[in-house]
mmCIF file of all heavy atoms in Angstrom:
data_model
loop_
_atom_site.group_PDB
_atom_site.id
_atom_site.type_symbol
_atom_site.label_atom_id
_atom_site.label_comp_id
_atom_site.label_asym_id
_atom_site.label_seq_id
_atom_site.Cartn_x
_atom_site.Cartn_y
_atom_site.Cartn_z
ATOM 1 N N PHE A 247 -11.978 -14.033 -7.324
ATOM 2 C CA PHE A 247 -11.970 -15.226 -6.471
ATOM 3 C C PHE A 247 -10.831 -15.135 -5.451
ATOM 4 O O PHE A 247 -11.020 -15.380 -4.252
ATOM 5 C CB PHE A 247 -11.813 -16.474 -7.348
ATOM 6 C CG PHE A 247 -11.833 -17.776 -6.600
ATOM 7 C CD1 PHE A 247 -13.017 -18.474 -6.428
ATOM 8 C CD2 PHE A 247 -10.657 -18.312 -6.083
ATOM 9 C CE1 PHE A 247 -13.036 -19.679 -5.740
ATOM 10 C CE2 PHE A 247 -10.669 -19.513 -5.396
ATOM 11 C CZ PHE A 247 -11.865 -20.206 -5.224
ATOM 12 N N LEU A 248 -9.634 -14.766 -5.927
ATOM 13 C CA LEU A 248 -8.482 -14.672 -5.023
ATOM 14 C C LEU A 248 -8.604 -13.478 -4.083
ATOM 15 O O LEU A 248 -8.090 -13.518 -2.960
ATOM 16 C CB LEU A 248 -7.193 -14.568 -5.839
ATOM 17 C CG LEU A 248 -6.783 -15.829 -6.604
ATOM 18 C CD1 LEU A 248 -5.485 -15.584 -7.363
ATOM 19 C CD2 LEU A 248 -6.632 -17.026 -5.676
ATOM 20 N N SER A 249 -9.291 -12.420 -4.517
ATOM 21 C CA SER A 249 -9.514 -11.279 -3.637
ATOM 22 C C SER A 249 -10.306 -11.701 -2.410
ATOM 23 O O SER A 249 -9.946 -11.362 -1.269
ATOM 24 C CB SER A 249 -10.256 -10.169 -4.392
ATOM 25 O OG SER A 249 -10.632 -9.121 -3.530
ATOM 26 N N LYS A 250 -11.360 -12.429 -2.632
ATOM 27 C CA LYS A 250 -12.166 -12.920 -1.510
ATOM 28 C C LYS A 250 -11.352 -13.859 -0.635
ATOM 29 O O LYS A 250 -11.383 -13.765 0.600
ATOM 30 C CB LYS A 250 -13.410 -13.635 -2.044
ATOM 31 C CG LYS A 250 -14.354 -14.130 -0.958
ATOM 32 C CD LYS A 250 -15.610 -14.748 -1.560
ATOM 33 C CE LYS A 250 -16.555 -15.241 -0.470
ATOM 34 N NZ LYS A 250 -17.781 -15.864 -1.044
ATOM 35 N N PHE A 251 -10.584 -14.752 -1.261
ATOM 36 C CA PHE A 251 -9.744 -15.702 -0.522
ATOM 37 C C PHE A 251 -8.736 -14.951 0.350
ATOM 38 O O PHE A 251 -8.571 -15.238 1.545
ATOM 39 C CB PHE A 251 -9.014 -16.605 -1.515
ATOM 40 C CG PHE A 251 -8.001 -17.533 -0.904
ATOM 41 C CD1 PHE A 251 -8.347 -18.814 -0.521
ATOM 42 C CD2 PHE A 251 -6.678 -17.126 -0.710
ATOM 43 C CE1 PHE A 251 -7.410 -19.685 0.041
ATOM 44 C CE2 PHE A 251 -5.735 -17.975 -0.150
ATOM 45 C CZ PHE A 251 -6.103 -19.258 0.226
ATOM 46 N N ALA A 252 -8.048 -13.980 -0.247
ATOM 47 C CA ALA A 252 -6.998 -13.256 0.475
ATOM 48 C C ALA A 252 -7.565 -12.441 1.628
ATOM 49 O O ALA A 252 -6.985 -12.388 2.720
ATOM 50 C CB ALA A 252 -6.234 -12.354 -0.496
ATOM 51 N N GLN A 253 -8.694 -11.787 1.388
ATOM 52 C CA GLN A 253 -9.283 -10.978 2.456
ATOM 53 C C GLN A 253 -9.782 -11.844 3.610
ATOM 54 O O GLN A 253 -9.718 -11.441 4.775
ATOM 55 C CB GLN A 253 -10.393 -10.101 1.887
ATOM 56 C CG GLN A 253 -9.850 -8.986 0.987
ATOM 57 C CD GLN A 253 -10.927 -8.099 0.423
ATOM 58 O OE1 GLN A 253 -11.502 -7.287 1.139
ATOM 59 N NE2 GLN A 253 -11.199 -8.252 -0.880
ATOM 60 N N GLN A 254 -10.234 -13.047 3.303
ATOM 61 C CA GLN A 254 -10.608 -13.973 4.375
ATOM 62 C C GLN A 254 -9.386 -14.416 5.176
ATOM 63 O O GLN A 254 -9.503 -14.790 6.346
ATOM 64 C CB GLN A 254 -11.324 -15.193 3.790
ATOM 65 C CG GLN A 254 -12.723 -14.895 3.277
ATOM 66 C CD GLN A 254 -13.359 -16.085 2.579
ATOM 67 O OE1 GLN A 254 -12.676 -17.041 2.191
ATOM 68 N NE2 GLN A 254 -14.675 -16.045 2.408
ATOM 69 N N LYS A 255 -8.209 -14.343 4.521
ATOM 70 C CA LYS A 255 -6.957 -14.694 5.200
ATOM 71 C C LYS A 255 -6.361 -13.500 5.960
ATOM 72 O O LYS A 255 -5.283 -13.621 6.531
ATOM 73 C CB LYS A 255 -5.924 -15.185 4.175
ATOM 74 C CG LYS A 255 -6.225 -16.545 3.568
ATOM 75 C CD LYS A 255 -5.744 -17.668 4.472
ATOM 76 C CE LYS A 255 -5.826 -19.020 3.775
ATOM 77 N NZ LYS A 255 -5.311 -20.099 4.638
ATOM 78 N N GLY A 256 -7.039 -12.372 5.926
ATOM 79 C CA GLY A 256 -6.582 -11.221 6.696
ATOM 80 C C GLY A 256 -5.997 -10.079 5.905
ATOM 81 O O GLY A 256 -5.569 -9.075 6.499
ATOM 82 N N VAL A 257 -5.937 -10.171 4.583
ATOM 83 C CA VAL A 257 -5.419 -9.063 3.781
ATOM 84 C C VAL A 257 -6.400 -7.889 3.858
ATOM 85 O O VAL A 257 -7.612 -8.052 3.717
ATOM 86 C CB VAL A 257 -5.213 -9.490 2.314
ATOM 87 C CG1 VAL A 257 -4.831 -8.295 1.449
ATOM 88 C CG2 VAL A 257 -4.143 -10.570 2.220
ATOM 89 N N ARG A 258 -5.867 -6.709 4.082
ATOM 90 C CA ARG A 258 -6.676 -5.498 4.134
ATOM 91 C C ARG A 258 -6.687 -4.854 2.755
ATOM 92 O O ARG A 258 -5.636 -4.600 2.170
ATOM 93 C CB ARG A 258 -6.101 -4.516 5.159
ATOM 94 C CG ARG A 258 -6.883 -3.198 5.254
ATOM 95 C CD ARG A 258 -6.343 -2.283 6.345
ATOM 96 N NE ARG A 258 -4.976 -1.864 6.105
ATOM 97 C CZ ARG A 258 -4.513 -0.633 6.380
ATOM 98 N NH1 ARG A 258 -5.318 0.270 6.919
ATOM 99 N NH2 ARG A 258 -3.253 -0.333 6.154
ATOM 100 N N ARG A 259 -7.875 -4.587 2.240
ATOM 101 C CA ARG A 259 -8.010 -3.923 0.941
ATOM 102 C C ARG A 259 -8.384 -2.464 1.160
ATOM 103 O O ARG A 259 -9.296 -2.158 1.941
ATOM 104 C CB ARG A 259 -9.085 -4.584 0.095
ATOM 105 C CG ARG A 259 -9.300 -3.901 -1.260
ATOM 106 C CD ARG A 259 -10.535 -4.411 -1.978
ATOM 107 N NE ARG A 259 -10.715 -3.732 -3.258
ATOM 108 C CZ ARG A 259 -11.332 -2.558 -3.411
ATOM 109 N NH1 ARG A 259 -11.834 -1.927 -2.361
ATOM 110 N NH2 ARG A 259 -11.453 -2.016 -4.617
ATOM 111 N N ILE A 260 -7.673 -1.562 0.467
ATOM 112 C CA ILE A 260 -7.975 -0.142 0.508
ATOM 113 C C ILE A 260 -8.324 0.317 -0.903
ATOM 114 O O ILE A 260 -7.558 0.095 -1.838
ATOM 115 C CB ILE A 260 -6.787 0.675 1.053
ATOM 116 C CG1 ILE A 260 -6.532 0.327 2.526
ATOM 117 C CG2 ILE A 260 -7.044 2.166 0.904
ATOM 118 C CD1 ILE A 260 -5.345 1.048 3.125
ATOM 119 N N GLU A 261 -9.478 0.917 -1.043
ATOM 120 C CA GLU A 261 -9.883 1.507 -2.309
ATOM 121 C C GLU A 261 -9.311 2.920 -2.393
ATOM 122 O O GLU A 261 -9.532 3.754 -1.513
ATOM 123 C CB GLU A 261 -11.411 1.555 -2.400
ATOM 124 C CG GLU A 261 -11.955 2.411 -3.543
ATOM 125 C CD GLU A 261 -11.638 1.861 -4.916
ATOM 126 O OE1 GLU A 261 -11.495 0.631 -5.055
ATOM 127 O OE2 GLU A 261 -11.521 2.675 -5.860
ATOM 128 N N GLY A 262 -8.552 3.185 -3.435
ATOM 129 C CA GLY A 262 -7.990 4.521 -3.566
ATOM 130 C C GLY A 262 -6.974 4.603 -4.677
ATOM 131 O O GLY A 262 -6.423 3.588 -5.127
ATOM 132 N N LYS A 263 -6.733 5.806 -5.136
ATOM 133 C CA LYS A 263 -5.770 6.053 -6.209
ATOM 134 C C LYS A 263 -4.504 6.670 -5.609
ATOM 135 O O LYS A 263 -4.553 7.678 -4.898
ATOM 136 C CB LYS A 263 -6.366 6.993 -7.245
ATOM 137 C CG LYS A 263 -5.487 7.220 -8.467
ATOM 138 C CD LYS A 263 -6.106 8.200 -9.432
ATOM 139 C CE LYS A 263 -7.382 7.669 -10.041
ATOM 140 N NZ LYS A 263 -7.923 8.601 -11.090
ATOM 141 N N ILE A 264 -3.363 6.041 -5.896
ATOM 142 C CA ILE A 264 -2.081 6.532 -5.386
ATOM 143 C C ILE A 264 -1.620 7.707 -6.243
ATOM 144 O O ILE A 264 -1.596 7.618 -7.480
ATOM 145 C CB ILE A 264 -1.029 5.409 -5.376
ATOM 146 C CG1 ILE A 264 -1.430 4.314 -4.365
ATOM 147 C CG2 ILE A 264 0.355 5.949 -5.031
ATOM 148 C CD1 ILE A 264 -0.566 3.088 -4.410
ATOM 149 N N VAL A 265 -1.247 8.795 -5.573
ATOM 150 C CA VAL A 265 -0.810 9.994 -6.296
ATOM 151 C C VAL A 265 0.651 10.330 -6.043
ATOM 152 O O VAL A 265 1.241 11.146 -6.766
ATOM 153 C CB VAL A 265 -1.687 11.218 -5.926
ATOM 154 C CG1 VAL A 265 -3.113 11.008 -6.391
ATOM 155 C CG2 VAL A 265 -1.645 11.492 -4.422
ATOM 156 N N ASN A 266 1.258 9.691 -5.021
ATOM 157 C CA ASN A 266 2.640 10.034 -4.711
ATOM 158 C C ASN A 266 3.256 8.928 -3.864
ATOM 159 O O ASN A 266 2.549 8.106 -3.262
ATOM 160 C CB ASN A 266 2.708 11.356 -3.944
ATOM 161 C CG ASN A 266 4.109 11.925 -3.879
ATOM 162 O OD1 ASN A 266 4.958 11.620 -4.720
ATOM 163 N ND2 ASN A 266 4.373 12.750 -2.874
ATOM 164 N N ALA A 267 4.581 8.861 -3.852
ATOM 165 C CA ALA A 267 5.315 7.936 -2.979
ATOM 166 C C ALA A 267 6.473 8.705 -2.355
ATOM 167 O O ALA A 267 6.997 9.658 -2.941
ATOM 168 C CB ALA A 267 5.829 6.741 -3.768
ATOM 169 N N ARG A 268 6.885 8.275 -1.176
ATOM 170 C CA ARG A 268 7.970 8.942 -0.460
ATOM 171 C C ARG A 268 9.078 7.957 -0.177
ATOM 172 O O ARG A 268 8.810 6.834 0.275
ATOM 173 C CB ARG A 268 7.432 9.532 0.852
ATOM 174 C CG ARG A 268 8.441 10.328 1.675
ATOM 175 C CD ARG A 268 7.730 11.093 2.782
ATOM 176 N NE ARG A 268 7.020 10.194 3.676
ATOM 177 C CZ ARG A 268 7.549 9.669 4.793
ATOM 178 N NH1 ARG A 268 8.802 9.966 5.133
ATOM 179 N NH2 ARG A 268 6.827 8.885 5.556
ATOM 180 N N SER A 269 10.323 8.335 -0.454
ATOM 181 C CA SER A 269 11.482 7.466 -0.247
ATOM 182 C C SER A 269 12.420 8.052 0.790
ATOM 183 O O SER A 269 12.463 9.277 0.995
ATOM 184 C CB SER A 269 12.246 7.260 -1.564
ATOM 185 O OG SER A 269 11.476 6.567 -2.506
ATOM 186 N N ASP A 270 13.196 7.171 1.420
ATOM 187 C CA ASP A 270 14.212 7.592 2.377
ATOM 188 C C ASP A 270 15.340 8.302 1.619
ATOM 189 O O ASP A 270 15.858 7.772 0.620
ATOM 190 C CB ASP A 270 14.746 6.375 3.124
ATOM 191 C CG ASP A 270 15.703 6.737 4.238
ATOM 192 O OD1 ASP A 270 16.859 7.087 3.915
ATOM 193 O OD2 ASP A 270 15.320 6.650 5.412
ATOM 194 N N SER A 271 15.751 9.467 2.100
ATOM 195 C CA SER A 271 16.757 10.253 1.386
ATOM 196 C C SER A 271 18.136 9.613 1.413
ATOM 197 O O SER A 271 18.977 9.902 0.556
ATOM 198 C CB SER A 271 16.836 11.663 1.981
ATOM 199 O OG SER A 271 17.190 11.603 3.360
ATOM 200 N N LEU A 272 18.399 8.716 2.379
ATOM 201 C CA LEU A 272 19.708 8.067 2.479
ATOM 202 C C LEU A 272 19.752 6.731 1.750
ATOM 203 O O LEU A 272 20.646 6.472 0.952
ATOM 204 C CB LEU A 272 20.084 7.878 3.959
ATOM 205 C CG LEU A 272 20.313 9.165 4.759
ATOM 206 C CD1 LEU A 272 20.609 8.826 6.217
ATOM 207 C CD2 LEU A 272 21.465 9.977 4.164
ATOM 208 N N THR A 273 18.773 5.859 2.015
ATOM 209 C CA THR A 273 18.798 4.505 1.447
ATOM 210 C C THR A 273 18.094 4.414 0.102
ATOM 211 O O THR A 273 18.357 3.500 -0.686
ATOM 212 C CB THR A 273 18.144 3.509 2.408
ATOM 213 O OG1 THR A 273 16.735 3.830 2.535
ATOM 214 C CG2 THR A 273 18.792 3.554 3.782
ATOM 215 N N GLY A 274 17.169 5.303 -0.158
ATOM 216 C CA GLY A 274 16.361 5.214 -1.374
ATOM 217 C C GLY A 274 15.175 4.297 -1.224
ATOM 218 O O GLY A 274 14.347 4.190 -2.143
ATOM 219 N N ASN A 275 15.060 3.605 -0.081
ATOM 220 C CA ASN A 275 13.923 2.708 0.135
ATOM 221 C C ASN A 275 12.618 3.492 0.185
ATOM 222 O O ASN A 275 12.562 4.627 0.676
ATOM 223 C CB ASN A 275 14.082 1.936 1.446
ATOM 224 C CG ASN A 275 15.094 0.809 1.331
ATOM 225 O OD1 ASN A 275 15.471 0.416 0.226
ATOM 226 N ND2 ASN A 275 15.530 0.294 2.461
ATOM 227 N N ILE A 276 11.556 2.875 -0.310
ATOM 228 C CA ILE A 276 10.238 3.498 -0.264
ATOM 229 C C ILE A 276 9.712 3.435 1.168
ATOM 230 O O ILE A 276 9.788 2.385 1.824
ATOM 231 C CB ILE A 276 9.271 2.798 -1.239
ATOM 232 C CG1 ILE A 276 9.795 2.941 -2.672
ATOM 233 C CG2 ILE A 276 7.867 3.391 -1.131
ATOM 234 C CD1 ILE A 276 9.030 2.107 -3.686
ATOM 235 N N LEU A 277 9.195 4.547 1.643
ATOM 236 C CA LEU A 277 8.669 4.622 3.009
ATOM 237 C C LEU A 277 7.148 4.570 3.046
ATOM 238 O O LEU A 277 6.565 3.948 3.946
ATOM 239 C CB LEU A 277 9.142 5.920 3.678
ATOM 240 C CG LEU A 277 10.647 6.105 3.833
ATOM 241 C CD1 LEU A 277 10.947 7.486 4.409
ATOM 242 C CD2 LEU A 277 11.231 5.014 4.720
ATOM 243 N N SER A 278 6.496 5.211 2.073
ATOM 244 C CA SER A 278 5.039 5.280 2.111
ATOM 245 C C SER A 278 4.502 5.666 0.748
ATOM 246 O O SER A 278 5.237 6.131 -0.133
ATOM 247 C CB SER A 278 4.572 6.302 3.161
ATOM 248 O OG SER A 278 4.985 7.616 2.783
ATOM 249 N N VAL A 279 3.203 5.488 0.584
ATOM 250 C CA VAL A 279 2.489 5.967 -0.595
ATOM 251 C C VAL A 279 1.339 6.849 -0.112
ATOM 252 O O VAL A 279 0.794 6.656 0.983
ATOM 253 C CB VAL A 279 1.951 4.816 -1.467
ATOM 254 C CG1 VAL A 279 3.091 4.042 -2.084
ATOM 255 C CG2 VAL A 279 1.047 3.888 -0.670
ATOM 256 N N SER A 280 0.998 7.830 -0.920
ATOM 257 C CA SER A 280 -0.072 8.769 -0.571
ATOM 258 C C SER A 280 -1.237 8.588 -1.531
ATOM 259 O O SER A 280 -1.047 8.478 -2.749
ATOM 260 C CB SER A 280 0.435 10.207 -0.654
ATOM 261 O OG SER A 280 1.531 10.402 0.206
ATOM 262 N N LEU A 281 -2.445 8.600 -0.963
ATOM 263 C CA LEU A 281 -3.650 8.436 -1.762
ATOM 264 C C LEU A 281 -4.242 9.789 -2.125
ATOM 265 O O LEU A 281 -3.939 10.818 -1.522
ATOM 266 C CB LEU A 281 -4.681 7.608 -1.006
ATOM 267 C CG LEU A 281 -4.248 6.216 -0.541
ATOM 268 C CD1 LEU A 281 -5.435 5.459 0.044
ATOM 269 C CD2 LEU A 281 -3.621 5.431 -1.679
ATOM 270 N N GLU A 282 -5.124 9.771 -3.103
ATOM 271 C CA GLU A 282 -5.771 10.985 -3.588
ATOM 272 C C GLU A 282 -6.546 11.694 -2.478
ATOM 273 O O GLU A 282 -6.678 12.919 -2.485
ATOM 274 C CB GLU A 282 -6.705 10.617 -4.746
ATOM 275 C CG GLU A 282 -7.124 11.762 -5.622
ATOM 276 C CD GLU A 282 -7.871 11.265 -6.855
ATOM 277 O OE1 GLU A 282 -8.710 10.343 -6.708
ATOM 278 O OE2 GLU A 282 -7.613 11.787 -7.961
ATOM 279 N N ASN A 283 -7.039 10.910 -1.514
ATOM 280 C CA ASN A 283 -7.812 11.499 -0.421
ATOM 281 C C ASN A 283 -6.933 12.063 0.692
ATOM 282 O O ASN A 283 -7.428 12.505 1.739
ATOM 283 C CB ASN A 283 -8.793 10.480 0.160
ATOM 284 C CG ASN A 283 -8.094 9.276 0.803
ATOM 285 O OD1 ASN A 283 -6.858 9.257 0.939
ATOM 286 N ND2 ASN A 283 -8.867 8.277 1.193
ATOM 287 N N GLY A 284 -5.603 12.040 0.517
ATOM 288 C CA GLY A 284 -4.675 12.583 1.491
ATOM 289 C C GLY A 284 -4.121 11.584 2.479
ATOM 290 O O GLY A 284 -3.227 11.918 3.281
ATOM 291 N N GLN A 285 -4.597 10.350 2.437
ATOM 292 C CA GLN A 285 -4.135 9.330 3.377
ATOM 293 C C GLN A 285 -2.733 8.845 3.005
ATOM 294 O O GLN A 285 -2.447 8.588 1.831
ATOM 295 C CB GLN A 285 -5.104 8.138 3.383
ATOM 296 C CG GLN A 285 -4.760 7.040 4.374
ATOM 297 C CD GLN A 285 -5.755 5.882 4.310
ATOM 298 O OE1 GLN A 285 -6.658 5.863 3.463
ATOM 299 N NE2 GLN A 285 -5.608 4.920 5.200
ATOM 300 N N ASP A 286 -1.832 8.739 3.985
ATOM 301 C CA ASP A 286 -0.498 8.169 3.795
ATOM 302 C C ASP A 286 -0.477 6.756 4.362
ATOM 303 O O ASP A 286 -0.941 6.517 5.486
ATOM 304 C CB ASP A 286 0.561 9.017 4.515
ATOM 305 C CG ASP A 286 0.831 10.334 3.806
ATOM 306 O OD1 ASP A 286 0.634 10.375 2.576
ATOM 307 O OD2 ASP A 286 1.206 11.297 4.483
ATOM 308 N N ILE A 287 0.074 5.832 3.601
ATOM 309 C CA ILE A 287 0.145 4.435 4.038
ATOM 310 C C ILE A 287 1.607 4.019 4.039
ATOM 311 O O ILE A 287 2.254 3.993 2.988
ATOM 312 C CB ILE A 287 -0.688 3.522 3.111
ATOM 313 C CG1 ILE A 287 -2.146 3.984 3.117
ATOM 314 C CG2 ILE A 287 -0.586 2.067 3.549
ATOM 315 C CD1 ILE A 287 -3.000 3.294 2.094
ATOM 316 N N GLU A 288 2.122 3.720 5.214
ATOM 317 C CA GLU A 288 3.522 3.350 5.376
ATOM 318 C C GLU A 288 3.697 1.842 5.266
ATOM 319 O O GLU A 288 2.781 1.067 5.566
ATOM 320 C CB GLU A 288 4.045 3.845 6.721
ATOM 321 C CG GLU A 288 4.044 5.358 6.871
ATOM 322 C CD GLU A 288 4.600 5.813 8.204
ATOM 323 O OE1 GLU A 288 4.744 4.962 9.109
ATOM 324 O OE2 GLU A 288 4.908 7.009 8.335
ATOM 325 N N GLY A 289 4.886 1.415 4.869
ATOM 326 C CA GLY A 289 5.178 -0.009 4.778
ATOM 327 C C GLY A 289 6.673 -0.266 4.890
ATOM 328 O O GLY A 289 7.498 0.637 4.707
ATOM 329 N N ASP A 290 7.017 -1.525 5.168
ATOM 330 C CA ASP A 290 8.413 -1.950 5.206
ATOM 331 C C ASP A 290 8.856 -2.503 3.859
ATOM 332 O O ASP A 290 10.028 -2.418 3.485
ATOM 333 C CB ASP A 290 8.618 -3.031 6.275
ATOM 334 C CG ASP A 290 8.220 -2.573 7.661
ATOM 335 O OD1 ASP A 290 8.547 -1.431 8.010
ATOM 336 O OD2 ASP A 290 7.581 -3.362 8.387
ATOM 337 N N PHE A 291 7.896 -3.104 3.145
ATOM 338 C CA PHE A 291 8.218 -3.750 1.860
ATOM 339 C C PHE A 291 7.043 -3.524 0.926
ATOM 340 O O PHE A 291 5.875 -3.606 1.341
ATOM 341 C CB PHE A 291 8.469 -5.243 2.065
ATOM 342 C CG PHE A 291 9.076 -5.922 0.871
ATOM 343 C CD1 PHE A 291 10.444 -5.848 0.630
ATOM 344 C CD2 PHE A 291 8.291 -6.632 -0.028
ATOM 345 C CE1 PHE A 291 11.016 -6.460 -0.476
ATOM 346 C CE2 PHE A 291 8.850 -7.253 -1.127
ATOM 347 C CZ PHE A 291 10.225 -7.166 -1.351
ATOM 348 N N PHE A 292 7.339 -3.257 -0.361
ATOM 349 C CA PHE A 292 6.313 -2.904 -1.329
ATOM 350 C C PHE A 292 6.376 -3.852 -2.526
ATOM 351 O O PHE A 292 7.466 -4.200 -2.997
ATOM 352 C CB PHE A 292 6.496 -1.457 -1.802
ATOM 353 C CG PHE A 292 6.260 -0.434 -0.722
ATOM 354 C CD1 PHE A 292 7.239 -0.169 0.234
ATOM 355 C CD2 PHE A 292 5.058 0.248 -0.646
ATOM 356 C CE1 PHE A 292 7.024 0.761 1.235
ATOM 357 C CE2 PHE A 292 4.836 1.187 0.356
ATOM 358 C CZ PHE A 292 5.821 1.441 1.308
ATOM 359 N N VAL A 293 5.207 -4.255 -3.008
ATOM 360 C CA VAL A 293 5.110 -5.059 -4.219
ATOM 361 C C VAL A 293 4.334 -4.235 -5.244
ATOM 362 O O VAL A 293 3.179 -3.862 -5.016
ATOM 363 C CB VAL A 293 4.410 -6.402 -3.966
ATOM 364 C CG1 VAL A 293 4.425 -7.248 -5.248
ATOM 365 C CG2 VAL A 293 5.087 -7.163 -2.836
ATOM 366 N N ASP A 294 4.978 -3.938 -6.353
ATOM 367 C CA ASP A 294 4.377 -3.119 -7.402
ATOM 368 C C ASP A 294 3.643 -4.016 -8.387
ATOM 369 O O ASP A 294 4.252 -4.742 -9.174
ATOM 370 C CB ASP A 294 5.468 -2.309 -8.125
ATOM 371 C CG ASP A 294 4.888 -1.290 -9.094
ATOM 372 O OD1 ASP A 294 3.708 -1.398 -9.450
ATOM 373 O OD2 ASP A 294 5.641 -0.369 -9.489
#
């Protein structure tokens, strides 16, 4: 129910399995996650 609600509000859903994450070597902040299909998705803030 909330998935439909959120996507109607503009949330983008990506189907995929995360296989790796990349962090900044200086700050330790997470920069992106990589999917099994090779796609990299960058972000400023991550919610696990």
Side-chain angles (χ1 to χ4, degrees):
F247 182 93
L248 291 180
S249 173
K250 183 176 180 181
F251 174 92
Q253 290 181 73
Q254 289 174 343
K255 289 277 190 178
V257 173
R258 179 176 63 142
R259 178 190 180 275
I260 294 178
E261 168 66 29
K263 185 182 295 185
I264 294 172
V265 295
N266 194 23
R268 183 168 60 91
S269 295
D270 186 285
S271 60
L272 294 177
T273 65
N275 284 345
I276 298 171
L277 299 175
S278 65
V279 293
S280 302
L281 303 187
E282 198 171 42
N283 64 7
Q285 183 181 5
D286 287 333
I287 301 171
E288 297 181 346
D290 302 317
F291 192 81
F292 294 79
V293 184
D294 188 343

